[in-house]
């Protein structure tokens, strides 16, 4: 039927699966069962009480190994706890950021169905923030519960640990006393044997005096009595040592079982915590996807035509367009042009406009244009209107063997053209040193060798003058020199 039952953390959940998925799930389950059967004998032997002993009577290597494992497990729990707390803080900060984001973008100027979708998006953004806020609280609670769990384990471990430590210490003391009494017992036995040998030799010696024989007999009896007493003490020490060993063995076995129980609970609890972490995150993802699905449903209701119609109905300003402005000739009213007739969309056809012809150029302008075209180009700077070349010197032009270097242009951004002066009287005359091409109608084109009458001295860079053919305009001072030796 394609219906399967999945057990999750002690509860059954009915899941609809396809037949192929059911078969795959069954095959995987059988494979895991086979692996468990194969590992069953090995797992049955994996007990602390059977695998953590040592032949050395006073060694604590087994106890130290078990205690180290539990401390390592505690550090792992601390790492998991820190991970949950940090993830909880991240989720909390993310939730607060989503809350601020939803409130910082009001979008109050929008209208229509798009506004509804926009409000839905902000509302669902807040819902997503609440989901992450809930996830943060759950993770923090899990971290606190994990901390309490390890405190309980620590208390249980400490009781068993203290008991075994006391038993180990008592066993070691008994072992040391037993070793000491054994050594003393051996010394006493050797001394008694020696005294017996001496007494036997004296008895076989006919020359031995009775007093010496009696003294030797007393030493023999005293040493034998001391050896017997040492033997009793030694036997008592061995008995006490065996009792301490049995006590330690019982406590050690109990500790192994308890440590194994603690370790099993620790692994199972950490597994539960990680499982819960995944479930919490998965649930948050599902809830978040539901919020996004609500946004998508709202966007499906967003209608472009409806929003356009609403905007036109609420904020329309009118359907009539402004009329065209006609052209009026200042000198001849007969040359005025009325506005053209609208041909499409209520607007004028601009292509039908016909403006009157421009006035013809004067004869002086034609001469100025011809002279400008005949002059060679002079290098200029970034601003071509006011170029100030660097001259080679006053004697460079008179020498026939010296070539004149093309002047370098120096531009001045602050120099402005002054109004044309009205003075027509000649101040002095200058001779043109270089060709100069006029850069505008206000300037005077110059040819090398011609004489120009200076009509006005504007500044230290530009003068106003008149050529022989009657052309007037501004010209650069650095391109000319005075005809006579008067000071300028």
């Amino acid at each position: 039927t394609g219906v399967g039952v999945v057990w999750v953390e002690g509860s059954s959940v009915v899941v609809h699966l396809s037949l192929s998925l059911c078969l795959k799930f069954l095959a995987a389950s059988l494979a895991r069962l086979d692996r468990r059967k194969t590992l069953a004998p090995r797992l049955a032997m994996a007990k602390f009480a059977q695998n953590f002993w040592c032949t050395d009577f006073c060694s604590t290597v087994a106890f130290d190994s078990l205690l180290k494992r539990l401390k390592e497990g505690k550090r792992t729990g601390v790492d998991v706890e820190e991970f949950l707390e940090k993830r909880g803080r991240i989720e909390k900060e993310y939730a607060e950021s989503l809350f601020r984001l939803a409130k910082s973008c009001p979008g109050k100027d929008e209208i229509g169905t798009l506004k509804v979708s926009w409000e839905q998006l902000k509302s669902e953004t807040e819902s997503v923030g609440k989901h992450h806020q809930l996830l943060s609280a759950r993770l923090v609670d899990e971290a606190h519960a994990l901390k309490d769990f390890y405190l309980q384990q620590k208390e249980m471990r400490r009781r068993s640990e203290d008991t075994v430590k006391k038993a180990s210490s008592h066993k070691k003391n008994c072992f040391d006393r037993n070793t000491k009494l054994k050594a003393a017992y051996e010394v006493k036995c050797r001394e008694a044997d020696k005294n017996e040998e001496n007494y036997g030799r004296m008895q076989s010696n006919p020359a031995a005096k009775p007093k010496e024989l009696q003294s030797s007999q007393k030493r023999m009896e005293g040493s034998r009595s001391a050896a017997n007493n040492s033997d009793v003490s030694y036997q008592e020490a061995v008995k006490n040592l065996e009792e301490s060993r049995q006590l330690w063995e019982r406590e050690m076995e109990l500790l192994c079982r308890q440590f194994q129980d603690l370790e099993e609970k620790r692994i199972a609890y950490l597994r539960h915590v990680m499982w819960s972490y995944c479930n919490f995150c998965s649930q948050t993802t599902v809830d978040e996807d539901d919020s996004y699905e609500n946004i998508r449903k709202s966007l499906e209701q967003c209608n472009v035509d409806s929003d356009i119609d609403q905007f036109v109905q609420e904020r329309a300003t009118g359907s009539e367009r402004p009329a065209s402005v006609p052209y009026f000739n200042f000198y001849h009213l007969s040359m005025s042009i009325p506005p053209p007739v609208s041909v499409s969309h209520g607007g004028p056809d601009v292509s039908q406009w016909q403006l009157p012809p421009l006035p013809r150029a004067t004869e002086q302008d034609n001469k100025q244009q011809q002279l400008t075209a005949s002059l060679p180009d002079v290098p200029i700077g970034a601003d071509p209107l006011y170029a100030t070349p660097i001259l080679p010197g006053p004697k460079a032009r008179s020498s026939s063997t010296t070539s004149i270097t093309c002047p370098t242009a120096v531009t001045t951004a602050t120099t402005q053209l002054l109004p044309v002066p009205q003075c027509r009287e000649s101040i002095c005359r200058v001779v043109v040193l270089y060709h100069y091409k006029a850069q505008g109608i206000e300037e005077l084109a110059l040819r090398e060798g011609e004489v120009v009458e200076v009509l006005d001295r504007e500044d230290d860079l530009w003068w106003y003058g008149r050529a022989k053919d009657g052309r007037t305009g501004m010209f650069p001072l650095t391109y000319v020199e005075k005809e006579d030796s008067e000071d300028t």
Side-chain angles (χ1 to χ4, degrees):
T1 59
V3 178
V5 179
V6 180
W7 290 86
V8 181
E9 291 293 316
S11 61
S12 61
V13 180
V14 179
V15 182
H16 292 273
L17 303 173
S18 63
L19 181 58
S20 61
L21 290 178
C22 288
L23 293 176
K24 291 181 180 179
F25 180 77
L26 180 60
S29 300
L30 292 176
R32 286 195 296 269
L33 183 60
D34 293 338
R35 287 197 298 271
R36 288 178 182 176
K37 290 181 179 179
T38 304
L39 297 176
R42 185 176 63 85
L43 293 176
M45 295 296 294
K47 300 294 183 182
F48 289 0
Q50 298 174 358
N51 295 276
F52 285 92
W53 301 96
C54 182
T55 57
D56 189 354
F57 193 88
C58 295
S59 175
T60 60
V61 61
F63 173 77
D64 295 339
S65 179
L66 292 174
L67 189 62
K68 181 180 180 182
R69 175 56 187 164
L70 264 64
K71 290 183 178 180
E72 291 173 350
K74 180 184 177 181
R75 286 195 292 269
T76 302
V78 172
D79 293 340
V80 175
E81 178 187 352
E82 184 178 359
F83 174 84
L84 294 176
E85 290 179 349
K86 288 183 178 180
R87 177 63 189 269
R89 287 196 295 268
I90 292 174
E91 294 295 334
K92 183 179 179 180
E93 293 174 358
Y94 181 59
E96 293 175 352
S97 299
L98 289 179
F99 293 151
R100 290 194 297 268
L101 176 64
K103 294 180 181 179
S104 63
C105 304
K108 59 183 179 180
D109 298 329
E110 191 53 60
I111 61 174
T113 58
L114 184 60
K115 182 177 182 180
V116 176
S117 299
W118 171 247
E119 295 296 333
Q120 183 71 23
L121 187 144
K122 292 193 297 179
S123 176
E124 295 300 334
T125 300
E126 291 184 357
S127 299
V128 172
K130 292 179 181 178
H131 298 327
H132 286 276
Q133 191 177 42
L134 178 61
L135 175 60
S136 174
R138 288 177 174 177
L139 295 179
V140 172
D141 292 341
E142 283 293 330
H144 292 167
L146 180 61
K147 185 176 183 179
D148 295 339
F149 171 78
Y150 271 97
L151 289 176
Q152 296 176 1
Q153 281 216 330
K154 181 180 179 181
E155 189 64 26
M156 297 175 64
R157 174 182 60 82
R158 181 172 294 177
R159 289 197 296 267
S160 299
E161 181 183 348
D162 293 340
T163 303
V164 172
K165 282 184 177 179
K166 290 180 181 179
S168 298
S169 177
H170 179 62
K171 183 187 69 167
K172 188 175 185 306
N173 293 334
C174 292
F175 179 81
D176 293 340
R177 186 171 182 273
N178 178 77
T179 303
K180 184 177 180 181
L181 291 175
K182 180 183 177 182
Y185 167 69
E186 291 175 352
V187 171
K188 295 295 183 182
C189 289
R190 292 190 184 96
E191 185 177 355
D193 293 343
K194 183 179 179 181
N195 290 331
E196 287 180 356
E197 291 177 0
N198 291 334
Y199 179 72
R201 284 194 300 271
M202 290 184 69
Q203 279 184 340
S204 60
N205 187 5
K209 296 179 180 181
K211 282 187 177 182
E212 293 178 356
L213 185 62
Q214 186 179 4
S215 176
S216 177
Q217 183 179 3
K218 287 182 180 180
R219 284 195 301 270
M220 179 193 67
E221 291 175 353
S223 61
R224 178 54 61 185
S225 176
N228 292 333
N229 293 334
S230 178
D231 184 22
V232 173
S233 300
Y234 174 55
Q235 290 180 13
E236 187 69 22
V238 171
K239 182 180 177 181
N240 293 336
L241 179 60
E242 179 62 19
E243 290 176 355
S244 67
R245 186 196 66 81
Q246 292 179 2
L247 176 63
W248 169 82
E249 185 176 339
R250 288 194 301 270
E251 296 297 338
M252 183 64 183
E253 186 173 358
L254 290 176
L255 179 134
C256 289
R257 292 176 181 176
Q258 187 172 11
F259 274 21
Q260 182 167 354
D261 183 64
L262 292 176
E263 184 66 7
E264 290 174 355
K265 290 181 179 179
R266 183 190 71 84
I267 295 174
Y269 190 78
L270 284 182
R271 175 181 177 273
H272 167 74
V273 170
M274 296 179 189
W275 197 297
S276 300
Y277 168 79
C278 296
N279 289 342
F280 293 155
C281 294
S282 297
Q283 184 63 42
T284 303
T285 304
V286 172
D287 296 338
E288 190 172 358
D289 186 69
D290 291 340
S291 299
Y292 293 138
E293 181 63 24
N294 294 334
I295 298 175
R296 285 190 289 267
K297 291 180 180 179
S298 176
L299 292 173
E300 289 177 354
Q301 304 300 323
C302 181
N303 189 282
V304 178
D305 297 337
S306 174
D307 288 6
I308 294 297
D309 292 340
Q310 182 177 350
F311 172 72
V312 172
Q313 292 175 6
E314 293 179 358
R315 304 183 186 181
T317 59
S319 59
E320 295 184 2
R321 305 182 184 185
S324 303
V325 179
Y327 166 76
F328 294 98
N329 190 285
F330 183 79
Y331 298 99
H332 304 285
L333 293 179
S334 60
M335 298 180 65
S336 301
I337 301 177
V341 182
S342 175
V343 294
S344 63
H345 304 290
D349 186 5
V350 184
S351 62
Q352 297 181 1
W353 285 54
Q354 296 181 358
L355 297 178
L358 297 176
R360 296 182 179 180
T362 60
E363 182 178 356
Q364 184 178 357
D365 293 337
N366 293 334
K367 291 181 179 181
Q368 180 75 13
Q369 185 176 4
Q370 293 176 1
L371 179 59
T372 301
S374 63
L375 294 177
D377 294 335
V378 179
I380 58 174
D383 188 355
L385 294 180
Y386 308 108
T388 303
I390 301 176
L391 298 180
K395 296 182 180 181
R397 185 175 59 90
S398 59
S399 176
S400 59
T401 60
T402 304
S403 60
I404 300 177
T405 305
C406 182
T408 304
V410 179
T411 59
T412 306
T414 56
T415 306
Q416 298 181 357
L417 185 64
L418 300 177
V420 178
Q422 299 298 326
C423 178
R424 298 304 180 186
E425 297 181 358
S426 176
I427 298 177
C428 62
R429 295 199 306 174
V430 294
V431 179
V432 178
L433 300 177
Y434 312 103
H435 289 294
Y436 177 71
K437 184 177 180 180
Q439 305 298 323
I441 59 176
E442 297 88 356
E443 297 184 6
L444 179 63
L446 304 176
R447 286 195 298 265
E448 182 181 357
E450 70 174 332
V451 178
V452 178
E453 296 181 2
V454 179
L455 303 180
D456 189 22
R457 301 172 182 173
E458 297 294 335
D459 51 32
D460 295 338
L461 298 177
W462 293 86
W463 284 3
Y464 183 77
R466 179 174 56 206
K468 290 184 177 181
D469 55 4
R471 293 179 293 106
T472 59
M474 305 292 295
F475 61 89
L477 180 61
T478 54
Y479 277 70
V480 299
E481 69 175 2
K482 290 189 61 176
E483 188 179 30
D484 51 15
S485 60
E486 293 183 6
D487 293 336
T488 59

